[in-house]
Amino acid sequence: MIEARRLHILRAVADHRTVTAAAAALYLTPSAVSQQLAALEQETGHRLVERSAKGVRLTPAGEILLGHTNAVLAQLERAEAELAAYGAGSAGTVTLASFATGIGLVVAPALARLTRTAPGIRVRVQDAEGDASLPMVLDRQVDVAVAVEYRGAPDADDPRLTPIPLYAEPFDAVVPVTHRLADAPEVPLADLAKDPWIGPYPGNPCHDVVVLACEHAGFQPRLEHSSDDFRAVVALASAGAGVALVPRSALRGMDLGGVVVRPVDGVAPTRRVFAAVRRGAEAHPLIRPVLDALTEAAAVD
């Protein structure tokens, strides 16, 4: 008989590619993870992982079991949801991870709604970049992620996750007030090819949006200054340090005295924001109201 907790470990190893990283995500020791993998191999009668200097990868037998693992764990999430519904499930705690702008734009309004519509549900919020929250859901560190589409993100049909679209927003060009294009009604990205750029660090989903937009305009941005804090990005642009692309919602409430904000000429780069839960958990009586509140908050905005 295969134990479900060992399937969780197998999936974590497949996701993180090393025993050490999987152990850290699961709050276990590497030796405990290795022992559980060995026990799982004994239960199945097959070698499931191969170790090398670069990490761990699944064997063909491991890949077969991983496919079933995703289905089994999703079904267990559904079972928990139905049992919680049977037991009323009107009170409890839901953990949620979101990037900072998403917290201000949809998470905080959703929490305000929940105090009226589902007062028994307590939501604990953690600030996490758009590419960090999805692994936190898969590793069961949080129940819900508010994330941004990015290169390498799980596909919409990933068997491990259920995504719920929330909103999409354009990036605007931010240039110093003294910039040659400051008076232009719209800014063609190609005209910024020779400027120094300010942007998020590689790995941040917004970095991917900026780089891809510039590549489509025919150039690689010369990123001279890096910050994941858009207030810092705007402050640097205000000081004349360079130009930037910033999500429109991130500009709300900022001091824009030293910069000019203009829409991008043509098709604007866009970030798409969605909520995600482990597949099967979307019907949980504690999680469903949170997802509905996030969707309602995004629709109002």
Side-chain angles (χ1 to χ4, degrees):
M1 180 68 69
I2 298 175
E3 291 191 18
R5 64 192 177 96
R6 290 176 182 151
L7 295 180
H8 280 293
I9 290 172
L10 179 70
R11 188 161 79 178
V13 169
D15 287 342
H16 294 281
R17 308 297 179 125
T18 71
V19 169
T20 300
L26 297 173
Y27 299 102
L28 297 172
T29 64
S31 61
V33 169
S34 296
Q35 289 170 9
Q36 292 299 317
L37 286 175
L40 185 58
E41 289 180 330
Q42 187 173 9
E43 287 174 344
T44 61
H46 292 280
R47 187 180 180 189
L48 303 175
V49 298
E50 292 180 344
R51 293 171 173 80
S52 69
K54 296 182 178 180
V56 176
R57 69 179 183 89
L58 299 188
T59 65
E63 293 288 354
I64 291 172
L65 183 57
L66 180 64
H68 290 286
T69 292
N70 291 327
V72 167
L73 295 182
Q75 191 60 41
L76 286 174
E77 293 283 355
R78 295 186 189 99
E80 290 181 8
E82 290 188 19
L83 287 170
Y86 176 77
S90 59
T93 300
V94 174
T95 52
L96 182 151
S98 171
F99 58 102
T101 307
I103 291 175
L105 199 62
V106 293
V107 175
L111 265 59
R113 280 175 168 76
L114 287 168
T115 60
R116 301 189 302 270
T117 61
I121 298 177
R122 177 191 177 203
V123 180
R124 294 176 55 208
V125 179
Q126 300 181 36
D127 187 338
E129 289 298 336
D131 58 336
S133 57
L134 294 181
M136 293 172 72
V137 168
L138 290 173
D139 293 334
R140 305 181 70 85
Q141 297 174 13
V142 298
D143 301 308
V144 182
V146 174
V148 179
E149 288 184 1
Y150 59 94
R151 284 189 287 191
D155 295 331
D157 59 353
D158 190 294
R160 303 169 299 170
L161 293 167
T162 296
I164 299 93
L166 293 178
Y167 65 92
E169 64 172 327
F171 281 58
D172 289 325
V174 177
V175 301
V177 292
T178 56
H179 195 272
R180 64 188 180 280
L181 296 177
D183 294 329
E186 296 181 332
V187 173
L189 283 186
D191 289 355
L192 301 176
K194 295 183 179 180
D195 285 89
W197 279 73
I198 313 157
Y201 285 101
N204 185 314
C206 290
H207 174 89
D208 291 345
V209 174
V210 171
V211 171
L212 284 172
C214 293
E215 287 176 352
H216 289 158
F219 70 98
Q220 285 281 344
R222 180 163 53 91
L223 285 163
E224 291 198 356
H225 312 282
S226 298
S227 175
D228 288 333
D229 184 337
F230 287 116
R231 291 185 181 276
V233 170
V234 170
L236 287 169
S238 178
V243 300
L245 287 174
V246 177
R248 187 166 292 171
S249 66
L251 294 167
R252 296 179 183 177
M254 282 195 195
D255 178 5
L256 302 175
V259 298
V260 172
V261 179
R262 294 288 183 263
V264 173
D265 184 30
V267 179
T270 302
R271 72 170 172 182
R272 291 172 174 80
V273 179
F274 61 99
V277 298
R278 292 179 294 277
R279 190 169 292 273
E282 61 274 9
H284 193 287
L286 294 179
I287 293 175
R288 185 72 256 171
V290 175
L291 297 177
D292 290 342
L294 289 169
T295 302
E296 291 167 10
V300 169
D301 185 77

